[in-house]
Amino acid sequence: MQRSRWQSKSFKRLFRAGFCALWVGVACGGNPELATGRGDVVVGPAGLGESCKQDDDCQSGSCSPNGVCDRGSCLDGGECAQGVGKACTADGDCADGLACSDRGRCALPCDPGAAAACPKNETCGDDGTCPTGPGDVMIGLGGAPSEGAGGEGAGGAPGCIDVKVDFTPQIPTVLLLIDRSGSMTATNFGDAVQAAVDAGTYILGDCPMNNDWRWNVVRDVLMSPTKGIVKPLEEHVRFGLSLYSSNNGRVKIGAPEEIDESKKCPELIEVPIALRNHQAMLDQFKCNDIDHDTPTGESLLAAAATLKAVTEPGPKVIVLATDGEPDSCECPNFGMGMPKKCREPGVPDMIKAQVVATAKGIHADDITVHVINVSTPSEASLQQHLADVADAGGGKVYPGFSPGALSSAFDEIINGVRSCVIDLSGEIAKGKESTGVITLDGDKLGLDAPDGWKVNSPSQIELLGAACDTIKSGEHDLNINFPCESFEPVVH
């Protein structure tokens, strides 16, 4: 019986050799037959691609099982693994030793469901391949130099093979701050929901009742395992969740002039920030789980404190979804039974101004605040307030008056926050920036062009304009090449 692809001898040998899916191969030695096992024995220390018997025979790297000096692991046939992350429709589209995953990407085969079976300790997928992401790139060992980067005029020495640069797009962090106040049950929102259902543009969520509530529609648009925004992005975005409200703020029940310091305000249902966080968030975002008040300012401050504690590089964003004017922990709901000072004229406007000031302070700490307005278009004063909050927070306000509008708003914000900043595994040599060739979906990007790329530092580049807009959504092929003498890689 033919063995399954993840049980192949080639893969076992490759895995034992400590293969890393994101590594860089460089060959600047005199023998262009890198890692083929066909090089002749040379006098003195051997260069990359030249014959060897042990690691000490090599000037750099190590002696591979095929008897040549290299910086990576090779397959039994003598060909180094190429094409991790390459688009495919069948195994035959991939290099020897790789398989076409259910995502249509060439990947390492493995035992389905095996824990820590893949190069970055991921669990093997149900399709029998290791996960691939936007940072997984082709491995450039062996063969002819890539067109452009290492050919004539690129400054590379004869026979020098290009560096195929290992890179990692910076991962954004998004905290979803969702209003949990009583008005999120509003019945007038149900008309828009029913209209979308009748038009065939929306399918009701899975809550056992009240699927036309604002709260339950927001839950469905974000968290549905089959059609929600979060699930397909949980590998590429660090998500956190904060559902906010209060139960009469800090005002003592039955004694409106007294503050009860023991009461918690805001009351937050939180899920810590992490990748692959969809299920944990769905578990906490429960159907019909509504409280009373809308302490938006205090809740924004709590969300900002959570984001400040994140030390990983990448953009930080709060997405505030609310349908009502804010109250506060000292003046909840502006109703009867509240402290006398809260019933004075101008108090609601004062609280709104405090929320705007809070958003401005948060943006000063390099956190962007976007707002999704899930009220009704007729509430003019609320529209202006939410626009002011978003403007102060460095973000935008998005209308969320229907299921379709909600979905578009969340999708645009969360996909749009994906970073165009890319960290390189190594450094570009000073003065050699222009020798790099960067392609996006096969199209070459210009250095310092409006829709091209720029160098932020020797170890970091950034895509610009249309290139940046493109990479923020969906899956794309990004390749970064430099001639050998122009880039010093980190060898794994």
Side-chain angles (χ1 to χ4, degrees):
M1 180 182 294
Q2 185 178 2
R3 289 175 299 171
S4 59
R5 65 192 187 199
W6 53 82
Q7 292 175 315
S8 69
K9 179 181 177 183
S10 294
F11 175 68
K12 288 182 178 179
R13 182 172 180 180
L14 187 150
F15 188 80
R16 284 198 302 269
F19 182 87
C20 178
L22 290 177
W23 46 270
V24 175
V26 188
C28 293
N31 185 353
E33 294 182 345
L34 175 62
T36 64
R38 298 193 298 271
D40 297 327
V41 176
V42 296
V43 178
L48 294 173
E50 296 175 343
S51 299
C52 60
K53 294 183 177 180
Q54 57 190 9
D55 289 349
D56 290 343
D57 295 340
C58 300
Q59 293 176 342
S60 61
S62 59
C63 191
S64 76
N66 299 300
V68 293
C69 297
D70 72 6
R71 289 184 177 172
S73 301
C74 295
L75 305 174
D76 287 347
E79 296 294 329
C80 284
Q82 300 186 59
V84 173
K86 177 185 174 184
C88 60
T89 57
D91 291 352
D93 297 334
C94 302
D96 290 343
L98 300 182
C100 190
S101 72
D102 288 348
R103 293 180 61 245
R105 298 285 171 177
C106 294
L108 287 173
C110 52
D111 289 312
C118 297
K120 292 181 280 187
N121 291 320
E122 303 105 329
T123 297
C124 183
D126 292 340
D127 63 350
T129 66
C130 290
T132 58
D136 294 332
V137 296
M138 185 180 297
I139 305 304
L141 284 177
S146 299
E147 181 181 352
E152 289 186 14
C160 181
I161 299 173
D162 296 343
V163 183
K164 208 77 167 179
V165 178
D166 174 8
F167 63 90
T168 305
Q170 288 191 355
I171 296 176
T173 301
V174 175
L175 197 152
L176 301 169
L177 182 62
I178 312 298
D179 181 355
R180 188 169 157 254
S181 64
S183 59
M184 291 291 282
T185 67
T187 56
N188 56 359
F189 190 73
D191 295 337
V193 176
Q194 188 60 53
V197 171
D198 293 343
T201 58
Y202 180 65
I203 299 174
L204 291 172
D206 61 357
C207 290
M209 61 182 69
N210 303 320
N211 275 306
D212 58 351
W213 280 6
R214 289 169 176 161
W215 172 263
N216 288 334
V217 174
V218 170
R219 175 186 178 275
D220 181 57
V221 165
L222 283 173
M223 299 298 168
S224 169
T226 57
K227 58 181 177 173
I229 303 296
V230 171
K231 179 64 176 177
L233 291 173
E234 65 173 344
E235 296 282 344
H236 309 302
V237 178
R238 284 184 291 267
F239 282 108
L241 179 67
S242 182
L243 310 173
Y244 77 96
S245 188
S246 79
N247 186 3
N248 214 43
R250 291 198 181 93
V251 176
K252 190 171 183 179
I253 303 297
E257 299 305 319
E258 297 183 32
I259 296 295
D260 186 347
E261 296 293 346
S262 68
K263 291 185 68 178
K264 182 181 291 187
C265 184
E267 293 183 357
L268 304 174
I269 298 174
E270 296 180 285
V271 178
I273 290 168
L275 289 170
R276 295 173 287 277
N277 215 13
H278 169 263
Q279 189 61 52
M281 296 165 69
L282 178 60
D283 290 345
Q284 293 301 316
F285 205 141
K286 300 182 186 300
C287 296
N288 309 313
D289 189 14
I290 298 297
D291 206 336
H292 292 87
D293 303 310
T294 316
T296 301
E298 291 93 336
S299 301
L300 277 169
L301 285 173
T306 298
L307 284 173
K308 287 178 187 177
V310 175
T311 58
E312 290 87 351
K316 297 179 182 181
V317 173
I318 296 172
V319 182
L320 168 65
T322 182
D323 73 330
E325 295 193 2
D327 54 28
S328 71
C329 291
E330 291 190 1
C331 292
N333 206 32
F334 316 118
M336 297 301 295
M338 297 298 101
K340 183 179 179 180
K341 65 178 183 179
C342 299
R343 300 196 297 271
E344 296 292 330
V347 170
D349 289 338
M350 179 185 69
I351 293 176
K352 286 193 288 187
Q354 290 172 345
V355 173
V356 172
T358 296
K360 186 175 182 179
I362 290 171
H363 184 50
D365 288 325
D366 294 324
I367 298 171
T368 301
V369 179
H370 292 292
V371 179
I372 299 180
N373 178 0
V374 291
S375 66
T376 58
S378 61
E379 299 177 64
S381 64
L382 177 60
Q383 313 308 311
Q384 185 59 55
H385 167 65
L386 296 181
D388 292 343
V389 172
D391 185 61
K396 296 180 180 179
V397 63
Y398 295 80
F401 306 136
S402 67
L406 267 176
S407 181
S408 296
F410 279 119
D411 183 69
E412 182 174 338
I413 293 172
I414 296 171
N415 266 304
V417 80
R418 292 167 69 176
S419 181
C420 295
V421 175
I422 296 169
D423 294 321
L424 309 177
S425 184
E427 293 191 353
I428 304 169
K430 186 176 181 180
K432 297 291 186 178
E433 295 84 358
S434 62
T435 65
V437 174
I438 297 181
T439 61
L440 178 58
D441 296 332
D443 295 326
K444 183 178 177 181
L445 304 179
L447 175 61
D448 294 327
D451 298 317
W453 62 284
K454 68 175 182 177
V455 177
N456 290 341
S457 73
S459 60
Q460 186 182 88
I461 67 167
E462 183 174 353
L463 301 188
L464 306 173
C468 178
D469 293 338
T470 297
I471 206 168
K472 282 185 173 184
S473 63
E475 296 292 334
H476 300 277
D477 290 320
L478 180 69
N479 287 285
I480 304 173
N481 296 69
F482 279 87
C484 293
E485 79 281 3
S486 298
F487 189 84
E488 181 62 33
V490 174
V491 178
H492 299 280

